[in-house]
Amino acid sequence: MIVDAIGRVIDRDYGAEDVEALLTAEGRDLEELLGAAREVRDRRFGNRVFTYGFAYFSTHCRNDCAFCYYRASNGSTGRYRKDPDEIVDLACRLRDSGVDLIDLTMGEDEAMRRNGFEGFLDIVSRVDEAVDIGIMASPGTVPRELMSPLREAGADWLACYQETYDRGLFERIRPGQSFDIRRDQKTWAHEAGLLSEDGMMVGIGEDPGSRALSVMEMGSLGCDQVRAMAFVPQIGTPMSSRVPGSPEDEIRAIATMRLMFPRRLIPASLDVEGISGLMARLEAGANVVTSIVPDASLSGVAQHELDIGNGNRSVDHVFSVLGDCGFEPASPSEYRRWMDSRRGILT
Ligand code: SAM
Ligand code: MD0
Ligand code: SF4
């Protein structure tokens, strides 16, 4: 019975089989799951939703992730690297329009990594000087020694998604990369006082058991924000003709994580189904909108263009859709209070 599994998860007295039952719920069971997840979200966060701007400022990358459009060996991408002034300008525009955080994201770009990540640290500190909203660093993997400098430069978060905690599958989708180093990013971030985000992808060849394992591992690492994103096939990659990940599986994962981790942040990403997929994710218990892209010269990750050129991923549009559905964008000061209290748990 799904209600029993839901009850055990809410009471923190559950096993992997309960998580798996939630991750595969169908029909009325799924309705029960979504309803319970919404209730938990509403109790903790009310109708307030945090909003994140996304700045994919360099799409150069040394890695060859099988799922990623910007993998090193895809020659047909039209890569770009924004200069620091443009990034600061974008951060100011995001601040002016009321978002809570800017997510500074790059591929593992050698130009940013050289000399102890000088280029990346410079961008983080320039953005920190210019705006007082939250800053997330999404640079891929970094050495342990870089976590404190990142925090000192002004980063609040380190995001690094494992995609899967199945080692065999990890090695296939992130060839040549270390599973352990990627997992440890989250612990190293915490040691330096950074909050951490982890994520899994659905539809990359995992089964529900492996999905349950991933969700439980993200939980035990203590990640402060946890996400699921459905795989979107990319032209020019070895997975280009694979079946896309199921948005319903992503939604089940969001709801399951909401029940397991009532206090943590869970994104509804615009990067899988665009603005039309926002409500379904919020109705599954998400409480952050990510991948708001205010500028047509920037790319998404899983969806490079979807809803970007037409303004549907702009701050104004996202805020008006939230309002239409009874949600309210939380202010940057509310968001800072959330981060401060969460960091209090770390120290
Ligand atoms: N290069 C850094 C890294 O890999 O950690 C930061 C980039 S981060 C924006 C890349 C994330 O976007 C991946 O970890 C993955 O979760 C998501 N992503 C990339 N390609 C995707 C795809 N084809 N479908 C769904 N999600 C994707
Ligand atoms: C998103 N496209 O939020 C972004 C990205 C990176 N930290 C986040 C996956 O969906
Ligand atoms: Fe590079 Fe990140 Fe894409 Fe992997 S997912 S190829 S590390 S940009």
Side-chain angles (χ1 to χ4, degrees):
M1 285 286 282
I2 200 84
V3 286
D4 298 329
I6 290 173
R8 285 191 291 273
V9 170
I10 288 176
D11 294 342
R12 304 286 168 93
D13 183 21
Y14 59 90
E17 60 295 346
D18 292 317
V19 177
E20 211 178 309
L22 302 190
L23 289 170
T24 52
E26 309 250 14
R28 290 180 82 117
D29 288 352
L30 179 56
E31 291 308 312
E32 290 281 353
L33 168 64
L34 297 176
R38 269 198 300 278
E39 217 176 289
V40 169
R41 192 268 322 280
D42 291 350
R43 199 162 48 236
R44 296 280 174 186
F45 297 96
N47 71 342
R48 316 299 268 191
V49 172
F50 299 125
T51 54
Y52 292 3
F54 182 56
Y56 201 176
F57 67 88
S58 170
T59 57
H60 292 267
C61 189
R62 62 178 186 168
N63 287 334
D64 238 346
C65 300
F67 53 83
C68 180
Y69 183 64
Y70 291 109
R71 70 201 302 264
S73 53
N74 189 358
S76 57
T77 56
R79 293 175 202 274
Y80 61 81
R81 185 183 296 117
K82 298 284 176 190
D83 73 54
D85 290 337
E86 277 180 273
I87 302 167
V88 168
D89 177 60
L90 175 73
C92 293
R93 279 186 281 138
L94 283 168
R95 183 260 332 263
D96 293 344
S97 48
V99 306
D100 299 317
L101 174 142
I102 177 165
D103 179 358
L104 297 171
T105 295
M106 65 178 203
E108 293 198 357
D109 179 359
E110 300 289 9
M112 289 290 148
R113 296 172 59 91
R114 73 172 69 101
N115 293 331
F117 285 75
E118 192 178 28
F120 184 56
L121 287 170
D122 177 57
I123 288 169
V124 173
S125 58
R126 287 184 56 179
V127 169
D128 183 57
E129 274 161 33
V131 297
D132 52 8
I133 56 176
I135 298 177
M136 175 176 274
S138 304
T141 52
V142 301
R144 188 178 197 164
E145 311 75 68
L146 196 77
M147 296 294 178
S148 290
L150 264 177
R151 177 79 187 112
E152 277 148 32
D156 296 291
W157 289 85
L158 190 281
C160 190
Y161 314 143
Q162 202 76 13
E163 325 299 355
T164 174
Y165 277 86
D166 170 338
R167 275 178 190 268
L169 182 56
F170 179 94
E171 279 157 20
R172 292 197 292 284
I173 61 156
R174 287 190 171 270
Q177 298 171 49
S178 161
F179 178 95
D180 292 336
I181 290 177
R182 203 163 171 94
R183 179 199 54 212
D184 290 347
Q185 299 294 300
K186 279 74 79 167
T187 313
W188 298 344
H190 278 167
E191 288 167 0
L194 289 158
L195 299 168
S196 76
E197 183 186 18
D198 202 349
M200 77 164 170
M201 227 189 283
V202 305
I204 46 170
E206 81 290 352
D207 60 20
S210 117
R211 220 175 285 156
L213 170 77
S214 297
V215 172
M216 292 173 81
E217 288 292 318
M218 296 196 289
S220 44
L221 281 169
C223 300
D224 310 282
Q225 180 166 296
V226 281
R227 72 163 61 205
M229 279 173 70
F231 161 65
V232 181
Q234 305 295 324
I235 294 166
T237 68
M239 291 172 75
S240 61
S241 46
R242 295 274 286 264
V243 179
S246 140
E248 290 73 34
D249 280 337
E250 177 186 325
I251 283 160
R252 289 182 185 92
I254 289 172
T256 303
M257 293 191 293
R258 171 53 67 216
L259 294 183
M260 294 168 74
F261 316 125
R263 293 182 174 78
R264 305 190 202 187
L265 303 188
I266 301 180
S269 175
L270 298 172
D271 215 21
V272 176
E273 295 190 294
I275 197 81
S276 70
L278 178 58
M279 269 317 118
R281 286 160 177 79
L282 291 174
E283 282 171 5
N287 68 328
V288 185
V289 183
T290 69
S291 221
I292 294 173
V293 182
D295 190 316
S297 79
L298 287 160
S299 178
V301 174
Q303 298 284 5
H304 325 121
E305 292 169 355
L306 176 68
D307 277 349
I308 296 178
N310 63 8
N312 275 348
R313 273 159 79 169
S314 69
V315 183
D316 284 351
H317 190 66
V318 170
F319 279 23
S320 87
V321 172
L322 285 175
D324 290 346
C325 304
F327 290 99
E328 220 175 301
S331 68
S333 59
E334 257 177 278
Y335 183 64
R336 188 149 295 282
R337 276 199 299 282
W338 184 90
M339 287 196 295
D340 289 345
S341 74
R342 185 77 196 177
R343 255 195 299 263
I345 298 172
L346 290 181
T347 50

